Amino acid sequence: MEKKFLRDLSLDFPRGELTSLLGPSGCGKTTLLRLIAGFEQPTKGNITIDGFQMDGVEANERPTNMVFQSYAIFPHLNVEENVGYGLKRLNLGKDETARRVDEMLNLVDLDNYNKRPAHALSGGQRQRVALARSLIMKPKVLLLDEPLSSLDKNLREQMQVELRHLQRSVGITFIFVTHDQEEALTMSDRTAVMFEGQIVQIATPQEIYSRPKSKRVASFIGVMNFIEGQLLKDGDQNTTVDAGILGNVKVNPDQMPIPLNSGPVTIGIRPEMLTLLIEDQDRTEFEIGGVILEGAYFGDMTNYTVQVKGLKSPLTISMRNTAGRRVLEDGESARVGWGADSLVILNKS
Amino acid sequence: MDRVKNWFSSDSSRGLTLIGLPFGFSLLLLAAPMLLIFFLGFWTQDYLVLDRSFSLDNYIEAWTEPMYRDLMLRSLGISAAVTLATVMLAYPMAYFISFHGGNRKALWLFLVTIPFWTSYLLRVFLWKVILGYNGVLNSALDWLGVIEEPLTFILYNANAVIITLTHAWAPFAILPIYVALEKIDRSYLEAATDLGDGPLKSFLRITLPLSMTGVVGAALIIFIPTIGDYVTPKLVGGKDGLMIANMIQVQFMKANNAPLGASLAVSAMGIVSIISLVFLALNRRWLRKRGS
């Protein structure tokens, strides 16, 4: 028997919002989704949807519908039979069923695909059929299990936008499982980050990105530079952090996602919050000298690895290649600039 | 010259070399005897001499003589009953192994094949022991007080043939149905449940239509060869359980009328082929209808 542990897990999914469950594979996000759908039973605890206890309610009776990772389009049925599958139980009659199916196909941009057999659909079309098949049931919660992971990059980005529009227009609560952090950030109203069966942080994408609660969240979502430092607290208002070679910086309470006491801390700073001061007249709040170890050119951006004397590991700095800004050579000395409010103070470890 | 060389190194030549031997083998052992039987049917046996002039007399006799027609109809009836019984019994077994076999599927399949460890003849004789007048079944029922007199309708008639053949052919039905069930992506069933179907509904709307290929395969695998079975009817069928193949055997051996036997065999083959094709076509239509 596979071990599927979810521990001390308690969270609310606000009505009409798109909440994503983000985490590495095996963290339990799909298990959580399947618990909500009713395919798995919790050993402890309970699930409530719209005020109703789901305890003892079979999967086929729950007001949830799921878009499977494989889409699970019924291979022996055509598009309209797939989409209308769940309506059959409601005995709506032929005309009403056909009307609702057409309406749904129109919503997912598959007009006139009614008679297309399942095997003749492309990946993106399957995804739309799966969506239509679920949405036609007017679920209170739509569960999506990595619905975009099998699409290629361009189609995935297009579907991210479309899915977001669709969610806003139908106003159904979406719970979206993904392991792709960019996807979670672009699509969600709120993102819940999961590690090893626990929710470690749930917040808006902006907050998760700029104010991660731990080093692990910070490095799971994008890249972050970590610097060892000391927190010096003098009352509630006056907090400074001693960042060693970077000097003493006054910080605001909101730069500490979890309240910390004086002592050793880890200071985090995103690569795009650091700048290389190329021209002599360039100025920022703080600056320090360093040497470019390596520059990786990405077209719109260049990612530099910069060694600053007195820091254990080199800093990663990403710079937008704007007009007139020159790309620095490896080995060139450079000035690294940053602002006090771009730091995040995290628990050491 | 180059073209010949190229041909010998091409994919198609390699393919042909690969299938060449088995193809020749089947030509020799399958097609040649079939052709022989086919032509034999149009000749006539004149006591000891074989008259090789073309004649339809054998076919006329085969299709008009009431005895042959009765035997043929009975054979079809028995085969149809065996097919129905086998598939009905095999489906639950295959379903159980596929859906509830857990990690013991291989063991279950292995157990299914155990009857094959004894010879076919022995198994038929065993059924005689079970179904006989003083057999296992009658003794047991008598001992339990269920019956006063031994049951006689279970041996030496068509029922015995059906029971014995059903048992003998069960594994051949279980395996194709099992394979068809195994191929069904379990997420289809979850999707059906998710869309509101209970267990019975999702079985009828998803599992059954998607496993129909296995059922059709199993039905044909059983229906086609059982028509031609002559060992089982001879051993347990009595005089009311004889089938067309017994008559074909008699014509070839005792009656010394191989051409008539051949025409009976070809007729039986034609009838079975037509029925199988009709069955396939009906099934395809049924599947399409089930779709909606």
Side-chain angles (χ1 to χ4, degrees), chain A residues 34 37 39 59-60 64-66 68 70 72-77 81-82 85-86 88-89 133-134 137, chain B residues 185 187-199 201-202 205-206 209-210 287-288 290-292:
Chain A
R34 292 174 59 82
F39 295 131
N60 57 334
T64 58
N65 281 104
M66 185 133 153
F68 291 80
S70 62
I73 303 297
F74 303 128
H76 57 306
L77 306 180
E81 290 158 355
N82 261 288
Y85 189 93
K88 207 161 189 190
R89 195 174 50 126
R133 188 176 69 180
S134 296
M137 303 305 292
Chain B
D185 190 336
S187 66
Y188 297 150
L189 300 173
E190 284 190 341
T193 307
D194 191 57
L195 293 166
D197 277 355
K201 266 275 171 65
S202 70
R205 295 179 74 188
I206 305 293
L210 287 180
L287 275 187
R288 206 168 297 151
R290 276 218 68 90
S292 54

Side-chain angles (χ1 to χ4, degrees), chain A residues 117-137:
Chain A
H119 62 81
L121 296 172
S122 70
Q125 289 164 347
R126 282 168 177 270
Q127 216 254 343
R128 289 160 200 262
V129 171
L131 261 174
R133 188 176 69 180
S134 296
L135 285 174
I136 204 167
M137 303 305 292

Side-chain angles (χ1 to χ4, degrees), chain A residues 154-166:
Chain A
N154 287 337
L155 188 56
R156 188 162 67 228
E157 282 167 2
Q158 184 197 335
M159 283 309 292
Q160 285 173 2
V161 178
E162 282 188 27
L163 209 55
R164 190 72 180 112
H165 280 307
L166 193 66

Side-chain angles (χ1 to χ4, degrees), chain A residues 60-161:
Chain A
N60 57 334
E61 304 287 347
R62 295 197 182 189
T64 58
N65 281 104
M66 185 133 153
V67 174
F68 291 80
Q69 188 170 9
S70 62
Y71 307 145
I73 303 297
F74 303 128
H76 57 306
L77 306 180
N78 64 23
V79 167
E80 94 186 343
E81 290 158 355
N82 261 288
V83 174
Y85 189 93
L87 291 184
K88 207 161 189 190
R89 195 174 50 126
L90 306 178
N91 288 325
L92 296 171
K94 240 182 183 174
D95 296 342
E96 177 62 10
T97 304
R99 198 188 59 77
R100 290 201 194 178
V101 167
D102 285 343
E103 198 181 275
M104 264 305 140
L105 288 179
N106 176 266
L107 185 71
V108 297
D109 237 353
L110 280 179
D111 303 80
N112 304 323
Y113 274 74
N114 300 46
K115 301 290 178 198
R116 188 72 68 98
H119 62 81
L121 296 172
S122 70
Q125 289 164 347
R126 282 168 177 270
Q127 216 254 343
R128 289 160 200 262
V129 171
L131 261 174
R133 188 176 69 180
S134 296
L135 285 174
I136 204 167
M137 303 305 292
K138 302 200 170 90
K140 285 183 177 148
V141 184
L142 185 74
L143 307 163
L144 301 105
D145 188 5
E146 308 224 8
L148 306 177
S149 63
S150 58
L151 305 179
D152 60 44
K153 192 169 176 285
N154 287 337
L155 188 56
R156 188 162 67 228
E157 282 167 2
Q158 184 197 335
M159 283 309 292
Q160 285 173 2
V161 178

Side-chain angles (χ1 to χ4, degrees), chain A residues 210-212 224 255-257 266-269 342-346:
Chain A
S210 60
R211 298 285 180 257
M224 193 172 255
Q255 281 171 268
M256 284 184 282
T266 299
I267 302 159
I269 184 161
S342 57
L343 302 184
V344 193
I345 315 302
L346 300 165

